[in-house]
């Protein structure tokens, strides 16, 4: 299993190390640094690196590398999943800054994910159905690929040992699902009902994927014209975003980011709505659009200044779009009802829907 | 209140203060002090001096305080082993605490303290805890066995803990089962041959039950353990599959992949006709796809595994092409893997989409990725024939971009497309040739050269193109050199007239100036082929090439089967079996897929499959040196050749041992062929053979001419050679050797060429000969085959020598003896010849002949004619008797020869003729 763990920040300092069996010298990280240097971008460091005596399996989260040292044959996914849990814990700790709170109180129960003797004065169960659309839209506006990644995140504060069952209006949508261990798989298989004794507090109940086989609605469209003139140090940039298939809901929180080609020096644009920034170092254009009102479509237009003498950029940048739609699960998934057994009190129940852009890319 | 306050004290005398606080009577103060100590420890301060004081706080009912003290102990026990002993009693006591949490905590901490002295005390408490009534304690103890094993394996075995651990597999609590499996797996890894995890159907049932209820990490261990089980039949395999399938919906990707491994492995046993088989296939796709929406590191591992799965069972993901489409902000390692899988999934049905994507990728920023995308287009063309044309035109579009690395990649793949579809897309060659100058990568250069060579007849200036590469021949990589050599030979075979010089140039560059044995060998083989049999050369070099296979870089099937058993492990990431990279002496047990069993199915086991392709038979052992020489020469001198050096592998060998080598086994089987008519004197001229038409090598690379002059001194045989260097470089290190011949002629001394021979310089040498060499009857009898070696090469030629050099001095027969012998030799052995145009009288003839050891025994005058009776003896003891009739008015003499070996007569007559007319 994991022999040692090193935490390394972006500037390459090993600021924390943990050894389970024996101490492995920090110098083993040199192999990691070498790979990091080769990868140029931090995101591109390969997650599995072999060194003469060890394997380094790493993840990159929140600008920190979690580098584990492995000596024997192990399932790398085991290690990576574990490292992500470690990273999750760090996140929680940073937020609460009180280590004592997060230490397990260690009360034994027959259900490994739930401690015994939970008590609340207000008994509540909230479910957030969150869907993200991953899509690639090609130049002409047709969908190359689209799918929905959904999760149901729950916040359950119920006393005792409640046994819940959650049913959907249209469970058939869920053909590819990952469950929290608390869910009784047999019930799902036979009745398409989520039946479970929940963990206490916040947790992810299920995650699911609505595949591209089903038709995925694309809630926005983008009209774009990005061109660079031959033998001239300028180009044109003109992008309009509009709503589409959004079931009458408002598209908000719209942000467009574009990695412009290296040859771009500066951009001189006017936005009819929201504000834009262009970072000449990273060449990232960010346009914070906000809400889309169908009556007046947001547009960003202007001149691109290129390095003089540089050849016309070969590649056209992809547009990365973020957006949010409240009160809508774009897949059409709807919770039918939530029943509670095993406890006598009446809980307060709530379901919230939200649709967001995941990796939503428009090629130009 | 936050914990941060513990980290803020930086006063002097801190240790002292803490010490006082730790020994305080107040519980609260004590606890605060321990927290401060732990905080200091965490940030790396040395608080080991407080060891006794902290250990004193161990005796408490407060769980939180106890945990903190244990934490401290785990950290400092190793550096303070003697002090750690002090804590043992408390540990032992804690292991019997009524609170199961404390019991578990104690045994867990003891396992983490890697101090030998403590481990001895650990055994008894551990034994109790393994049988504790509380499952939480048992599961903690199970892991502790593995930890103890790591410290002292012998102890664990002696104490019988392994058996207890095996019993825990049947525990009623799933967490205990899971931890027992985890512990056993870890121990088994250091003892691969042990049968720690020998499972039977009962324990499998226990594991499957535990699988549903234990933690995600436990599930991984159980699934990996299940994967090593071999079900007894297809029914058992199916029932295990059914119970494992729900794990595919787990949120933990490692659980999912381990479940996939079990299913992929056991599916092997299921009949394909089974409905369940189809259901299972359908169920496998969604979880695999879901893995791709996880974090990039998880995606990477998943993709490496999917790559294997797609090769083993392409049907699972054949409809899921789109999920492998690349997003521009995927990390590069994800992009490359996705691309690879896209190609594997490409089919006629989805090729249009795939191509559109690939074209998109080919204009991205990342060079590695772009290259791979271009290459992928080529692979599509090869894989899906219907798409080939579209792929080629896409590649041409890309070449037009003139982006250097894109052009180079495109040329490399177009070469493969040409090989797959010969004579179909040659129209693009012109476009390719335009980009010749921009190629700076060996692979691209080699590909381009291959194309030019292969299609030399359609490229007008192929010779110019190839010549331009030849200029920097020695700076090229081996790949390019080899390709260039082959291409020019191809060109020469296609257009022999204009390219002779070019081919000679490349052959000499490859054979003479290169240190690379591969290149030299290939050069020699071509050279030899061209010089021996150009027709055969054409057949060999321009042979139709086998079509390249559709699917490139597939993993070899037996390896693939083994890797399928390692899904989810490091082996699956590296696509190598663990034996190939796991460090240390730990033997690795090879895994194999289970054989297909079951009622309706015939056994079809990958193990049972015959190991394909037995190693080719080793070439025969090199024969003894003496034989070798003869055999080799038999072969080489088939058509007697002067000039073009034939291949020989022994240029660098010293002295006369110049033909050593295993070439005969390589070329064996060819018989001795009669040489064509050869001019006895000037050996430099090309001799009539197929080669002459092809090769006019008089001005060639390293020709060597020699001539033969009759011996001047009687009694000693010698060979006079004139060596002329017609090559462009200095020749040195000469050596000579004769093939076996009719009279056993052999050099009596080494060939002495004192100074190196400069170009166009000649040297005359007289080489003493003897007749003690090996004998083999030649045809003609006086044929002599000679090999001369120098620093450049070995040169072969043959010559005809006059027989009189072999006439010995004691060749005068007694009169009586002569008469008796003459009568004794049957008349059919008598041969008559006319010597024309000789004006000498009998005495002069007699004198002249005597000078060449032909002795006159008697002279008679019969009817105005002079009759000379003569005898001569050859070096090998053959007597020849002669009657020479001379008519005074007639310039034609009549020679009658009688000999027991009548085949020499012809040559004796030639000798007479030569001597008399000289």
């Amino acid at each position: 299993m994991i022999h040692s763990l090193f935490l390394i920040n972006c500037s390459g300092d090993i600021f924390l190390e943990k050894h389970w069996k024996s101490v492995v010298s920090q110098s083993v990280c040199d192999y990691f640094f070498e790979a990091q240097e080769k990868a140029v971008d931090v995101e591109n460091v390969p997650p599995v690196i072999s060194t003469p005596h060890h394997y380094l399996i790493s993840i990159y989260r929140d600008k920190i590398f979690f580098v584990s040292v492995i000596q024997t044959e192990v399932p790398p996914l085991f290690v990576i999943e574990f490292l992500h849990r470690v990273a999750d814990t760090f996140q929680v700790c940073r937020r609460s800054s009180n280590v004592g709170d997060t230490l397990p109180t260690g009360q034994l129960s027959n259900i490994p994910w739930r401690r015994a003797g939970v008590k609340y004065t207000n008994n509540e169960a909230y479910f957030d159905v969150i869907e993200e659309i991953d899509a690639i839209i090609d130049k002409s506006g047709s969908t190359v690929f689209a799918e929905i990644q959904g999760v149901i995140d729950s916040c359950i504060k119920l006393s005792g040992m409640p046994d819940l069952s959650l049913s959907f209006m249209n469970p058939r949508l869920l053909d590819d699902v990952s469950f929290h261990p608390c869910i009784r798989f047999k019930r799902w298989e036979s009745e398409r009902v989520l039946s479970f004794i929940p963990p206490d507090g916040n947790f992810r109940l299920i995650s699911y994927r609505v595949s591209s086989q089903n038709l995925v609605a694309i809630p926005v469209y983008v009209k774009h014209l990005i061109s660079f003139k031959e033998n001239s140090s300028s180009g044109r940039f003109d992008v309009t975003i509009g709503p589409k298939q959004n079931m009458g809901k408002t598209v908000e929180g719209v942000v467009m980011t574009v990695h412009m080609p290296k040859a771009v020096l500066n951009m001189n644009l006017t936005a009819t709505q929201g504000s834009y920034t262009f970072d000449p170092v990273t060449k990232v254009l960010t346009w914070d659009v906000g809400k889309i009102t169908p009556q007046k479509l947001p547009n960003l237009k202007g001149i691109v200044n290129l390095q003089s003498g540089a050849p016309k950029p070969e590649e056209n940048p992809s547009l990365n779009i973020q957006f949010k739609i409240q009160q809508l699960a774009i897949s059409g998934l709807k919770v039918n009802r939530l029943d509670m057994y095993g406890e006598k009190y009446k809980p307060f129940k709530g379901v919230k829907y939200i649709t967001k852009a995941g990796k939503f890319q428009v090629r130009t | 209140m936050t914990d941060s306050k513990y980290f803020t004290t930086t006063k002097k005398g801190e240790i002292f203060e803490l010490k006082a606080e730790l020994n305080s009577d107040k519980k609260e103060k004590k606890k605060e002090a321990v927290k401060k100590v732990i905080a200091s420890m965490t940030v790396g301060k040395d608080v080991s001096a407080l060891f006794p004081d902290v250990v004193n706080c161990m005796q408490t009912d407060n769980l939180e305080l106890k945990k903190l003290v244990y934490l401290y102990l785990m950290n400092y026990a190793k550096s303070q082993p003697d002090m750690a002993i002090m804590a043992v009693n408390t540990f032992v006591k804690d292991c019997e605490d009524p609170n199961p949490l404390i019991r578990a905590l104690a045994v867990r901490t003891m396992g983490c303290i890697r101090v030998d002295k403590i481990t001895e005390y650990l055994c008894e408490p551990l034994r109790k805890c393994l049988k504790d009534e509380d499952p939480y304690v048992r599961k903690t103890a199970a892991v502790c066995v593995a930890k103890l094993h790591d410290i002292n394996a012998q102890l664990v075995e002696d104490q019988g803990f392994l058996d207890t651990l095996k019993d825990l597999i049947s525990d009623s609590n799933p967490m205990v089962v899971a931890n027992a499996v985890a512990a056993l797996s870890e121990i088994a890894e250091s003892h691969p041959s042990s049968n720690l995890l020998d499972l039977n159907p009962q324990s499998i049932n226990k594991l499957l039950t535990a699988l549903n209820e234990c933690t995600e990490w436990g599930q991984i261990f159980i699934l990996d353990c299940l994967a090593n089980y071999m079900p007894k039949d297809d029914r058992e395999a199916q029932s295990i599959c059914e119970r494992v399938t729900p794990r595919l919906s787990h949120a933990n990707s490692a659980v999912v992949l381990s479940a996939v491994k079990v299913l992929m492995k056991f599916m092997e046993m299921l009949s394909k006709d089974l409905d369940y088989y189809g259901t299972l296939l359908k169920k496998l796709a969604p979880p695999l796809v879901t893995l791709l929406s996880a974090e990039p590191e998880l995606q990477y591992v998943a993709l490496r595994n999917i790559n294997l799965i797609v090769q083993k069972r392409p049907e699972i993901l054949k409809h899921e092409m789109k999920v492998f489409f690349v997003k521009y902000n995927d990390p590069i390692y994800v992009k490359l893997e996705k691309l690879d899988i896209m190609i594997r999934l490409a089919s006629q049905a989805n090729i249009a989409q795939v191509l559109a994507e690939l074209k998109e990728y080919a204009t991205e920023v990342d060079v590695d990725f772009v290259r791979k995308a271009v290459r992928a287009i080529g692979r599509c063309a090869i894989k899906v024939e219907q798409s080939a044309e579209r792929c080629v035109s896409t590649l041409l579009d890309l070449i037009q971009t003139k982006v250097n690395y894109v052009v180079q990649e495109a040329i490399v793949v177009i070469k493969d497309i040409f090989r797959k579809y010969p004579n179909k897309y040659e129209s693009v060659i012109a476009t390719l040739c335009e980009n010749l100058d921009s190629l700076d990568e060996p692979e691209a250069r080699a590909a381009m050269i291959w194309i030019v060579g292969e299609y030399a007849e359609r490229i007008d200036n192929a010779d110019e193109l190839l010549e331009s590469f030849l200029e920097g021949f020695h700076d090229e990589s081996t790949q390019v050199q080899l390709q260039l050599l082959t291409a020019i030979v191809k060109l020469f075979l296609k257009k022999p007239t204009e390219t002779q010089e070019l081919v000679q140039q490349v052959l000499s560059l490859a054979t003479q100036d290169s240190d690379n044995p591969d290149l030299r060998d290939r050069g020699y083989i071509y050279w030899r082929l061209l010089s021996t049999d150009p027709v055969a050369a054409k057949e060999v070099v321009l042979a139709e090439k086998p079509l390249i296979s559709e699917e490139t870089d597939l993993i070899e099937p037996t390896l693939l089967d083994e890797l399928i058993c390692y899904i989810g492990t490091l082996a699956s990431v590296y696509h190598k079996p663990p034996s190939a990279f796991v460090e240390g002496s730990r033997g690795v047990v090879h895994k194999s897929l289970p054989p297909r069993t079951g009622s309706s199915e015939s056994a079809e086991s990958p193990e049972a499959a015959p190991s394909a392709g037995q190693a080719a038979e080793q070439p025969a052992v090199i024969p003894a040196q003496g034989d070798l020489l003869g055999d080799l020469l038999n072969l080489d001198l088939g058509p007697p050749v002067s000039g073009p050096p034939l291949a020989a592998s022994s240029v660098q060998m010293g002295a006369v041992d110049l033909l050593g080598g295993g070439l005969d086994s390589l070329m064996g089987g060819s018989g001795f062929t009669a040489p064509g008519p050869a001019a006895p004197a000037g050996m430099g001229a090309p001799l009539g053979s197929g080669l002459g038409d092809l090769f006019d090598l008089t001005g060639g690379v390293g020709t060597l001419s020699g001539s033969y002059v009759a011996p001047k001194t009687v009694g000693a045989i010698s060979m006079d050679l004139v060596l002329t260097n017609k090559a462009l470089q200095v020749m040195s290190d000469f050596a000579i050797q004769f093939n076996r011949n009719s009279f056993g002629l052999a050099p009596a001394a080494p060939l002495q060429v004192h100074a190196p021979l400069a170009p166009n310089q000649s040297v005359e040498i007289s080489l003493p000969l003897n007749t003690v060499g090996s004998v083999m009857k030649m045809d003609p009898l006086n044929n002599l085959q000679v090999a001369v070696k120098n620093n450049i090469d070995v040169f072969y030629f043959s010559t005809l020598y006059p027989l009189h050099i072999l006439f010995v001095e004691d060749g005068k027969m007694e009169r009586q003896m002569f008469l008796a012998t003459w009568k004794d030799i049957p008349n059919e052995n008598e041969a008559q010849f006319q010597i024309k145009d000789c004006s000498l009288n009998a005495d002069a003839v007699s004198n002249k002949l005597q000078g060449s050891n032909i002795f006159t025994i008697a002279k008679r005058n019969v009817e105005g004619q002079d009759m000379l009776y003569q005898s001569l003896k050859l070096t090998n003891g053959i007597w020849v008797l002669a009657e020479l009739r001379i008519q005074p008015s007639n310039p034609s003499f009549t020679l009658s020869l009688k000999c027991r070996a009548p085949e020499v007569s012809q040559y004796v007559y030639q000798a007479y003729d030569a001597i008399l007319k000289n």
Side-chain angles (χ1 to χ4, degrees), chain A residues 44 53 55 60 72-73 76 81 85 98-100 106 176 178-179 209 315 361 363, chain B residues 1 3 101 189 216 249 253 286 289-290 293 297 329 332 357 363 568 570 581 583:
Chain A
N44 287 340
H53 302 289
Y55 289 88
Y60 180 67
T72 49
E73 169 66 281
E81 283 276 5
R85 301 307 161 83
N98 197 346
V99 182
D176 180 6
S178 299
F179 293 133
R209 187 177 65 93
E315 74 280 359
Q361 305 182 350
R363 291 175 181 161
Chain B
M1 190 180 75
D3 289 340
L101 277 177
E189 206 181 331
E216 48 192 327
S249 299
S253 59
V289 171
T290 301
S293 50
E297 301 92 3
N329 47 3
I332 180 71
E357 279 296 302
T363 59
L570 271 178
F581 64 87
E583 209 189 45

Coordinates of all heavy atoms in Angstrom, one line a residue, chain A residues 44 53 55 60 72-73 76 81 85 98-100 106 176 178-179 209 315 361 363, chain B residues 1 3 101 189 216 249 253 286 289-290 293 297 329 332 357 363 568 570 581 583:
Chain A
N44 N -0.6 18.7 -16.4 CA -0.2 17.7 -17.3 C 0.8 16.7 -16.7 O 1.3 15.8 -17.4 CB 0.4 18.3 -18.6 CG -0.7 18.9 -19.5 OD1 -1.9 18.6 -19.4 ND2 -0.3 19.8 -20.4
H53 N 13.1 2.6 -7.8 CA 12.7 1.7 -6.7 C 11.3 1.9 -6.3 O 10.8 1.1 -5.4 CB 13.6 1.9 -5.5 CG 15.1 1.6 -5.9 ND1 15.5 0.4 -6.1 CD2 16.1 2.5 -6.1 CE1 16.8 0.4 -6.4 NE2 17.2 1.7 -6.4
Y55 N 7.1 3.6 -7.1 CA 6.2 4.3 -8.0 C 5.6 5.5 -7.3 O 5.3 5.4 -6.1 CB 5.1 3.3 -8.4 CG 5.6 2.2 -9.3 CD1 6.2 1.1 -8.8 CD2 5.6 2.5 -10.7 CE1 6.7 0.2 -9.7 CE2 6.2 1.5 -11.5 CZ 6.7 0.4 -11.0 OH 7.3 -0.5 -11.9
Y60 N -3.5 16.2 -8.3 CA -3.3 17.6 -8.2 C -4.6 18.3 -7.8 O -5.6 18.2 -8.6 CB -2.8 18.2 -9.6 CG -2.6 19.7 -9.6 CD1 -1.6 20.2 -8.9 CD2 -3.4 20.5 -10.4 CE1 -1.4 21.6 -8.9 CE2 -3.2 21.9 -10.4 CZ -2.2 22.4 -9.6 OH -2.0 23.8 -9.6
T72 N 4.9 -1.6 -3.8 CA 4.4 -2.9 -4.2 C 3.3 -2.7 -5.2 O 2.8 -1.6 -5.4 CB 3.8 -3.7 -3.0 OG1 2.9 -2.9 -2.3 CG2 4.9 -4.2 -2.1
E73 N 2.9 -3.8 -5.8 CA 1.8 -3.7 -6.8 C 0.5 -3.4 -6.1 O 0.1 -4.1 -5.2 CB 1.7 -5.0 -7.5 CG 0.5 -5.3 -8.4 CD 0.4 -4.3 -9.6 OE1 0.0 -3.2 -9.4 OE2 0.8 -4.8 -10.7
P76 N -3.9 1.3 -8.6 CA -3.6 2.8 -8.6 C -4.9 3.6 -8.3 O -4.8 4.6 -7.7 CB -3.1 3.1 -10.0 CG -2.8 1.8 -10.6 CD -3.5 0.7 -9.8
E81 N -8.1 7.4 -5.4 CA -9.3 7.6 -4.6 C -9.0 8.1 -3.2 O -9.5 9.0 -2.7 CB -10.2 6.4 -4.6 CG -11.0 6.1 -5.9 CD -12.3 6.9 -6.0 OE1 -12.6 7.7 -5.1 OE2 -13.1 6.7 -6.9
R85 N -9.6 11.5 -1.1 CA -10.3 11.6 0.2 C -9.4 12.5 1.1 O -9.9 13.3 1.9 CB -10.5 10.3 0.8 CG -11.4 9.3 0.0 CD -12.7 10.0 -0.4 NE -13.3 9.2 -1.5 CZ -13.9 8.1 -1.3 NH1 -14.2 7.6 -0.1 NH2 -14.4 7.4 -2.4
N98 N -10.9 23.6 12.9 CA -10.9 23.0 14.2 C -10.8 21.5 14.1 O -11.8 20.9 13.8 CB -12.2 23.4 14.9 CG -12.1 23.2 16.4 OD1 -11.1 22.5 16.8 ND2 -13.0 23.8 17.2
V99 N -9.6 21.0 14.3 CA -9.3 19.6 14.0 C -10.2 18.8 14.9 O -10.7 17.7 14.5 CB -7.8 19.3 14.2 CG1 -7.5 17.9 13.9 CG2 -7.0 20.2 13.3
G100 N -10.4 19.2 16.1 CA -11.1 18.4 17.1 C -12.5 18.0 16.6 O -13.0 16.9 16.8
G106 N -16.4 8.2 17.2 CA -16.2 6.8 17.4 C -17.3 6.1 18.2 O -17.1 5.4 19.1
D176 N -27.3 4.7 -15.7 CA -25.9 4.5 -15.4 C -25.7 5.3 -14.1 O -25.6 6.5 -14.1 CB -25.1 5.1 -16.5 CG -23.6 5.0 -16.2 OD1 -23.2 4.4 -15.2 OD2 -22.8 5.5 -17.0
S178 N -24.1 5.6 -10.0 CA -23.2 5.2 -8.9 C -23.8 5.5 -7.6 O -24.2 6.7 -7.4 CB -21.8 5.9 -9.0 OG -21.2 5.6 -10.2
F179 N -23.9 4.6 -6.7 CA -24.6 4.8 -5.4 C -23.7 5.0 -4.2 O -22.6 4.4 -4.2 CB -25.5 3.5 -5.1 CG -26.6 3.4 -6.1 CD1 -26.8 2.1 -6.7 CD2 -27.4 4.4 -6.4 CE1 -27.9 2.0 -7.6 CE2 -28.4 4.3 -7.3 CZ -28.7 3.0 -7.9
R209 N -25.3 9.4 -14.9 CA -24.9 9.9 -16.2 C -26.1 9.7 -17.2 O -26.6 8.6 -17.3 CB -23.7 9.2 -16.7 CG -23.1 9.8 -18.0 CD -21.8 9.0 -18.3 NE -22.1 7.7 -18.7 CZ -22.3 7.2 -19.9 NH1 -22.3 8.1 -20.9 NH2 -22.7 6.0 -20.1
E315 N -4.4 27.6 -35.0 CA -5.5 27.1 -34.3 C -6.5 28.1 -33.9 O -6.1 29.2 -33.6 CB -5.0 26.3 -33.1 CG -4.6 27.1 -31.9 CD -3.1 27.6 -32.1 OE1 -2.5 27.4 -33.1 OE2 -2.7 28.3 -31.1
Q361 N -17.9 23.2 -24.3 CA -16.9 23.8 -25.2 C -17.5 24.0 -26.6 O -18.2 23.2 -27.1 CB -15.7 22.9 -25.3 CG -15.1 22.6 -24.0 CD -13.8 21.8 -24.1 OE1 -13.5 21.3 -25.1 NE2 -13.1 21.7 -23.0
R363 N -16.3 24.9 -30.3 CA -15.2 25.1 -31.2 C -15.4 26.2 -32.2 O -16.6 26.4 -32.6 CB -14.9 23.8 -31.9 CG -14.4 22.7 -31.0 CD -14.2 21.4 -31.7 NE -13.7 20.4 -30.8 CZ -13.9 19.1 -31.1 NH1 -14.4 18.7 -32.2 NH2 -13.4 18.2 -30.3
Chain B
M1 N -14.2 28.3 19.9 CA -12.8 28.1 20.2 C -12.2 27.2 19.1 O -12.7 26.1 18.8 CB -12.7 27.5 21.5 CG -11.3 27.5 22.0 SD -11.1 26.7 23.7 CE -11.3 25.0 23.3
D3 N -8.7 25.2 17.4 CA -7.4 24.5 17.8 C -6.2 25.4 17.6 O -5.1 25.0 18.0 CB -7.3 23.2 17.1 CG -8.3 22.2 17.7 OD1 -8.9 22.5 18.8 OD2 -8.6 21.2 17.0
L101 N -13.7 0.4 22.1 CA -13.0 1.4 21.4 C -11.5 1.5 21.9 O -10.6 1.6 21.2 CB -13.6 2.7 21.5 CG -14.8 3.0 20.5 CD1 -15.4 4.3 20.8 CD2 -14.2 2.9 19.1
E189 N 1.3 -11.0 -0.5 CA 2.1 -10.3 -1.5 C 3.6 -10.5 -1.3 O 4.4 -10.6 -2.3 CB 1.8 -8.8 -1.6 CG 2.1 -8.2 -2.9 CD 1.9 -6.7 -3.0 OE1 1.0 -6.3 -2.2 OE2 2.5 -6.1 -3.8
E216 N -16.0 0.7 1.3 CA -15.5 0.7 -0.1 C -14.1 0.1 -0.2 O -13.8 -0.7 -1.1 CB -15.6 2.1 -0.6 CG -14.9 3.1 0.3 CD -15.2 4.6 -0.1 OE1 -15.3 4.8 -1.3 OE2 -15.3 5.4 0.7
S249 N -22.0 -0.1 -9.7 CA -22.7 1.1 -9.5 C -22.1 1.8 -8.3 O -22.7 2.8 -7.7 CB -24.2 0.9 -9.2 OG -24.8 0.3 -10.4
S253 N -14.3 4.6 -7.7 CA -13.9 4.1 -9.0 C -13.0 2.8 -8.9 O -13.0 2.0 -9.8 CB -13.2 5.1 -9.8 OG -12.0 5.6 -9.1
P286 N -21.8 1.2 -19.2 CA -22.0 2.4 -18.4 C -21.0 2.7 -17.3 O -20.5 3.8 -17.3 CB -23.4 2.2 -17.9 CG -24.1 1.2 -18.7 CD -23.0 0.3 -19.1
V289 N -17.8 4.0 -18.8 CA -18.0 5.4 -19.3 C -18.0 6.4 -18.2 O -17.4 7.5 -18.2 CB -19.2 5.5 -20.2 CG1 -19.5 6.9 -20.5 CG2 -19.1 4.7 -21.4
T290 N -18.7 6.0 -17.1 CA -18.8 6.9 -16.0 C -17.4 7.3 -15.4 O -17.2 8.4 -14.9 CB -19.7 6.3 -14.9 OG1 -20.9 6.1 -15.4 CG2 -19.8 7.2 -13.7
S293 N -15.8 10.5 -16.3 CA -16.2 11.8 -15.8 C -15.6 12.1 -14.5 O -15.9 13.1 -13.9 CB -17.7 11.9 -15.8 OG -18.3 10.8 -15.1
E297 N -6.9 12.2 -13.0 CA -6.0 11.1 -12.6 C -6.7 9.7 -12.7 O -6.1 8.7 -13.1 CB -5.4 11.3 -11.2 CG -4.6 12.6 -11.0 CD -5.5 13.7 -10.5 OE1 -6.7 13.4 -10.2 OE2 -5.0 14.8 -10.3
N329 N -9.3 21.1 -22.8 CA -8.5 21.3 -21.5 C -8.3 20.0 -20.8 O -8.0 20.0 -19.6 CB -9.2 22.3 -20.7 CG -10.7 22.1 -20.6 OD1 -11.2 21.1 -21.2 ND2 -11.4 23.0 -19.9
I332 N -2.8 16.4 -21.0 CA -2.3 15.7 -22.2 C -2.3 14.2 -22.0 O -2.6 13.5 -23.0 CB -0.8 16.3 -22.5 CG1 -0.2 15.6 -23.7 CG2 0.1 16.1 -21.3 CD1 -0.9 16.0 -25.0
E357 N -13.2 14.6 -36.0 CA -12.6 14.9 -34.7 C -11.0 15.0 -34.9 O -10.4 16.0 -34.4 CB -12.9 13.9 -33.7 CG -14.2 14.0 -33.0 CD -14.3 15.3 -32.2 OE1 -13.5 15.5 -31.2 OE2 -15.2 16.1 -32.5
T363 N -5.2 20.5 -35.4 CA -4.8 21.9 -35.4 C -4.7 22.4 -34.0 O -4.7 23.6 -33.8 CB -5.9 22.7 -36.2 OG1 -7.2 22.5 -35.5 CG2 -6.1 22.3 -37.6
G568 N -6.9 -2.9 -13.2 CA -6.9 -2.1 -12.0 C -5.6 -2.0 -11.2 O -5.5 -1.3 -10.3
L570 N -1.2 -1.7 -11.2 CA -0.1 -1.0 -11.9 C 0.2 -1.6 -13.2 O 0.5 -1.0 -14.2 CB 1.1 -0.9 -11.0 CG 1.3 0.2 -10.0 CD1 2.6 0.0 -9.2 CD2 1.3 1.5 -10.8
F581 N 8.1 -5.6 -14.0 CA 8.6 -4.4 -13.3 C 8.5 -4.4 -11.8 O 9.1 -3.5 -11.2 CB 7.8 -3.2 -13.9 CG 6.3 -3.2 -13.6 CD1 5.8 -2.7 -12.4 CD2 5.4 -3.8 -14.5 CE1 4.5 -2.8 -12.1 CE2 4.1 -3.8 -14.2 CZ 3.6 -3.3 -13.0
E583 N 9.6 -4.8 -8.3 CA 10.9 -4.9 -7.8 C 11.1 -6.1 -6.8 O 10.2 -6.5 -6.2 CB 11.3 -3.6 -7.1 CG 12.8 -3.4 -7.3 CD 13.2 -2.2 -6.4 OE1 12.8 -2.1 -5.2 OE2 14.0 -1.4 -6.9

